């Protein structure tokens, strides 16, 4: 996808730009996740790839083919929707086979391909049921099997797990990745859930307000966030103006430290370049064995993840190693070179 922009015309002929010069590549045989908050344009982007929406400018290529103005049915893509999108009056088998029937595939081949996709998704024993007789998880599997049966070049998924309960979502994440690895499909996967993006993806594209904030492997975007937005969105990094005592950070620098990178000072040997924060514990969140202490130092509340239980209002010093202190330009939020 190259330099894709999309504007919608709203009331009083006002145009709103939803996507602004988005360029991205989803490598063949990999899972690329588009991650962003609600309304940032993820679904619109996916619909443009599917051909259900046309870009105002820019182009879409699938492999060597330019498909910007190709009809959705001839693009070689299949989409799985958040709300399953099943036909309530058709059986599971008919739901899965329907797109093949529309494409003119002969009945015997439809059945073979439908059954193969259903077997992959472990729903081959419910082929004669109606959608209303299935659980939410099974319905979503039917939606995915229907997309797979078409043997698409690209599988587009729009928040496919968001209607499932938490436990099932975790199971389905692992299963979807296993399925993708088995068949080697190219997947473009939309989610607003950072854990889903981090655990499932080969590549993550972080979107914000219609543009790409950063793209890379999950490790890259987590360990080297390009902006304060990405740092806060993935893993909730502490971000605060550099304290006056901090050497090496000029005025106008924002410091970033992940809560898990703070060490209580009395459990660690000081090293050159450590960032030391001294303050009073204002609040503690218990997370199993660890807790997140909210430490007030001046105007800033730092969150430090420690494994010690400490009383509220007690003063504590925590330190972060220089390598775990990120620096960003305070005005633009962009990462500063070391
Ligand atoms: N057909 C349309 N006409 C006008 N505005 C639209 C249209 N489709 C989407 N929008 C607007 O575009 C913006 C982005 O929508 P989109 O559905 O792509 O976001 P999203 O990131 O997928 O959000 P969500 O996670 O809530 O689905 C929203 O403000 C939405 O209201």
């Amino acid at each position: 996808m190259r330099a894709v922009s999309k504007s919608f015309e709203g009331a009083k002929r006002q145009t709103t730009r939803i996507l602004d010069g988005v360029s991205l590549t989803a490598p063949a045989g990999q899972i690329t996740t588009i991650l962003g908050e609600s309304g940032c344009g993820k679904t619109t982007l996916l619909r443009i790839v599917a051909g259900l929406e046309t870009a105002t400018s820019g182009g879409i290529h699938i492999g060597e083919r330019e498909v910007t103005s190709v009809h959705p049915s001839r693009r070689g893509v299949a989409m799985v929707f958040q709300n399953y999108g099943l036909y309530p009056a058709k059986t599971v088998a008919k739901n899965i086979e329907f797109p093949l029937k529309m494409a003119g595939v002969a009945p015997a081949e439809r059945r073979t391909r439908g059954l193969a996709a259903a077997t992959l998704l472990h729903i081959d024993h419910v082929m004669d049921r109606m959608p209303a007789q299935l659980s939410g998880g099974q319905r979503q599997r039917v939606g995915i099997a229907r997309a797979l049966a078409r043997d698409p070049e690209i599988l587009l998924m729009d928040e496919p797990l968001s209607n499932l309960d938490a436990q099932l979502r975790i199971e389905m994440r692992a299963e979807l990745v296993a399925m993708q690895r088995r068949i080697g499909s190219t997947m473009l996967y939309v989610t607003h859930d950072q854990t889903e993006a981090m655990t499932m993806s080969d590549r993550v594209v972080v979107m914000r307000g219609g543009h790409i904030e950063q793209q890379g492997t999950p490790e890259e975007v987590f360990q080297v966030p390009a902006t304060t937005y990405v740092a806060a969105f993935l893993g909730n990094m502490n971000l605060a103006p550099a304290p006056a005592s901090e050497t090496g950070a000029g005025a106008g620098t924002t410091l970033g430290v992940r809560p898990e990178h703070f060490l209580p000072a009395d459990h660690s040997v000081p090293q050159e370049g450590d960032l030391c924060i001294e303050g009073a514990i204002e609040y503690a969140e218990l997370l199993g064995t660890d807790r997140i202490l909210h430490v007030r130092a001046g105007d800033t509340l730092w969150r430090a993840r420690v494994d010690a239980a400490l009383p509220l209002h007690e003063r504590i010093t925590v330190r972060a190693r220089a390598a775990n202190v990120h620096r960003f330009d305070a005005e633009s939020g962009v990462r500063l070179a070391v």
Side-chain angles (χ1 to χ4, degrees), residues 6-10 16-19 36-47 53 82 158-159 190-192 207:
K6 175 70 182 174
S7 302
F8 285 113
E9 199 162 305
T16 317
R17 183 167 275 215
I18 305 298
L19 294 175
E37 288 172 309
S38 182
C40 72
K42 309 180 293 292
T43 298
T44 305
L45 191 149
L46 212 60
R47 289 174 59 82
E53 203 83 70
Q82 181 178 350
D158 190 5
E159 310 230 13
V190 159
T191 182
H192 64 269
M207 280 189 70

Side-chain angles (χ1 to χ4, degrees), residues 16-223:
T16 317
R17 183 167 275 215
I18 305 298
L19 294 175
D20 195 8
V22 172
S23 295
L24 70 90
T25 302
Q30 294 192 3
I31 303 179
T32 301
T33 298
I34 311 212
L35 171 68
E37 288 172 309
S38 182
C40 72
K42 309 180 293 292
T43 298
T44 305
L45 191 149
L46 212 60
R47 289 174 59 82
I48 289 175
V49 177
L52 302 173
E53 203 83 70
T54 20
T56 312
S57 61
I60 316 286
H61 290 74
I62 297 178
E64 300 292 298
R65 283 190 304 145
E66 140 107 76
V67 296
T68 318
S69 8
V70 171
H71 189 268
S73 64
R74 288 193 295 277
R75 287 193 181 198
V77 301
M79 188 148 162
V80 177
F81 300 90
Q82 181 178 350
N83 55 4
Y84 320 134
L86 305 183
Y87 304 103
K90 291 187 197 296
T91 62
V92 167
K94 289 226 159 67
N95 262 285
I96 296 174
E97 291 169 27
F98 190 68
L100 300 177
K101 188 173 174 185
M102 288 291 99
V105 176
E109 188 183 338
R110 286 203 306 256
R111 260 188 297 278
T112 312
R113 282 167 62 176
L115 187 61
T119 307
L120 207 58
L121 271 302
H122 312 295
I123 45 165
D124 45 315
H125 59 294
V126 296
M127 294 297 261
D128 296 326
R129 288 203 208 156
M130 305 305 276
Q133 298 170 301
L134 304 176
S135 69
Q138 285 173 325
R139 272 181 227 157
Q140 191 52 286
R141 283 164 200 267
V142 177
I144 299 167
R146 182 174 59 185
L148 273 187
R150 294 172 56 190
D151 194 18
E153 239 175 286
I154 304 188
L155 202 50
L156 305 173
M157 298 210 171
D158 190 5
E159 310 230 13
L161 308 184
S162 61
N163 286 341
L164 307 179
D165 65 48
Q167 187 53 38
L168 192 55
R169 214 155 51 212
I170 294 171
E171 286 168 26
M172 282 294 282
R173 263 189 224 151
E175 229 182 275
L176 273 183
V177 174
M179 176 203 86
Q180 186 275 340
R181 297 292 184 246
R182 213 154 44 227
I183 59 178
S185 55
T186 305
M187 215 147 114
L188 197 54
Y189 189 101
V190 159
T191 182
H192 64 269
D193 180 329
Q194 45 143 313
T195 315
E196 211 164 279
M198 294 307 280
T199 54
M200 292 182 61
S201 319
D202 295 300
R203 283 185 74 73
V204 180
V205 178
V206 184
M207 280 189 70
R208 177 191 187 190
H211 72 266
I212 293 179
E213 192 81 357
Q214 185 174 8
Q215 49 184 319
T217 63
E219 291 78 15
E220 278 163 1
V221 292
F222 189 78
Q223 284 166 12

